[in-house]
Amino acid sequence: MNFFGKKRTSAPSAPRNGSSPGDPTSTIVTLRESLKTLDKREEHVQKKADALLEEAKKHLKAKDKKKAAHSLKRKKMYDAQIDKIQGSKMTLESQIMSLESSVQNMETFKAMKAGQTAMKQVRKNIDVDNVDDMMDEIREEMETAAEISEAIGRPVDDVGYDEDELLSELNDLEEAELEETLLSDPTPTPSGLDMPDAPRGGLAHDEKAKDEDEDEKALRELEASLAM
């Protein structure tokens, strides 16, 4: 019963870091802080339980079983409290792991959603038909450029001479050059060979010389016969 007026209602505590009460990140922080508190509580209770165990051993050595039993009962109470603390810690750790996994999944989903939105934005101005049309235009421009380059590189004085006629003229020119070379530069006679001089006067001169030799021979025979 309140004799001093209406009970004052406490204002709700503001969430830390300006986050909402249901924010997963702030909830994970709160759970970790609670887990640290339970760790400290468990350590404190475990020390008391260990002290009571030593106390029971001491009474047992003194043959005072009554006090030893009382110390063990108190130790079992602390052991039960430690089991409850460990159960609470297990629950908190499970919640932390689940929330962390959920946060990771949420961040992954946000990233994938952002990627999907960006792809849609890019695809607004690009589709398969536009790409095909662009590639066709590029090929046409390349073919046109090749034709222009070929036209620019073609000689302007090309009047279409007959190739067979040109080859025939080249062959005639080669034969004329070869004939001129043979006539102007006869093959020299190999050194060391004495060739007989060509006869002078022709065949009539040879016949006349033969007749003169026979007359001289006849005169010598006649002179020899007169001398005998």
Side-chain angles (χ1 to χ4, degrees):
M1 187 173 180
N2 187 7
F3 296 97
F4 300 98
K6 188 177 179 180
K7 184 178 179 181
R8 181 180 299 175
T9 56
S10 59
S13 59
R16 299 180 180 180
N17 300 328
S19 58
S20 61
D23 181 61
T25 304
S26 62
T27 304
I28 291 173
V29 173
T30 302
L31 291 174
R32 289 191 181 279
E33 291 177 352
S34 299
L35 189 60
K36 290 180 181 180
T37 301
L38 289 177
D39 286 336
K40 293 179 180 179
R41 178 63 181 170
E42 181 183 5
E43 183 180 358
H44 175 70
V45 175
Q46 185 65 50
K47 287 181 179 180
K48 287 189 174 184
D50 294 340
L52 287 172
L53 180 61
E54 295 297 328
E55 184 180 304
K57 290 179 180 180
K58 182 180 179 181
H59 291 314
L60 191 61
K61 287 181 181 180
K63 305 299 182 181
D64 192 347
K65 293 184 178 180
K66 186 176 180 179
K67 290 183 178 181
H70 181 69
S71 297
L72 285 178
K73 286 181 181 180
R74 292 179 63 192
K75 178 185 179 299
K76 288 184 178 295
M77 292 174 59
Y78 285 111
D79 288 342
Q81 191 174 1
I82 290 173
D83 290 340
K84 292 179 181 179
I85 293 173
Q86 290 179 348
S88 298
K89 288 173 58 179
M90 183 67 67
T91 302
L92 290 176
E93 289 176 351
S94 299
Q95 287 182 323
I96 291 171
M97 292 179 63
S98 297
L99 280 173
E100 287 178 342
S101 178
S102 298
V103 170
Q104 183 63 46
N105 292 336
M106 182 178 63
E107 295 297 330
T108 303
F109 174 77
K110 288 181 179 179
M112 295 173 66
K113 187 66 176 177
Q116 179 190 13
T117 303
M119 291 177 67
K120 285 184 177 180
Q121 187 66 27
V122 171
R123 195 166 49 83
K124 285 183 178 180
N125 299 323
I126 299 177
D127 58 13
V128 177
D129 294 334
N130 290 337
V131 173
D132 289 339
D133 293 340
M134 181 186 67
M135 295 304 296
D136 291 338
E137 292 178 0
I138 291 175
R139 280 190 288 268
E140 291 177 0
E141 292 296 331
M142 292 180 66
E143 292 175 357
T144 302
E147 293 175 358
I148 292 174
S149 297
E150 183 179 358
I152 292 175
R154 189 180 303 123
V156 295
D157 58 348
D158 187 4
V159 294
Y161 293 108
D162 188 2
E163 294 291 335
D164 295 334
E165 183 179 353
L166 291 176
L167 290 176
S168 177
E169 291 183 7
L170 286 175
N171 291 331
D172 294 340
L173 183 61
E174 282 184 340
E175 291 178 359
E177 290 289 336
L178 180 60
E179 183 177 356
E180 183 178 355
T181 301
L182 292 176
L183 293 176
S184 62
D185 187 15
T187 303
T189 302
S191 59
L193 294 178
D194 295 332
M195 301 298 292
D197 296 334
R200 299 178 181 178
L203 294 176
H205 177 74
D206 292 339
E207 291 292 334
K208 184 178 180 180
K210 183 177 180 181
D211 292 339
E212 290 178 355
D213 291 339
E214 288 178 355
D215 292 339
E216 290 179 357
K217 182 178 179 181
L219 289 173
R220 285 195 296 272
E221 288 178 357
L222 180 59
E223 288 177 353
S225 64
L226 289 176
M228 291 179 61

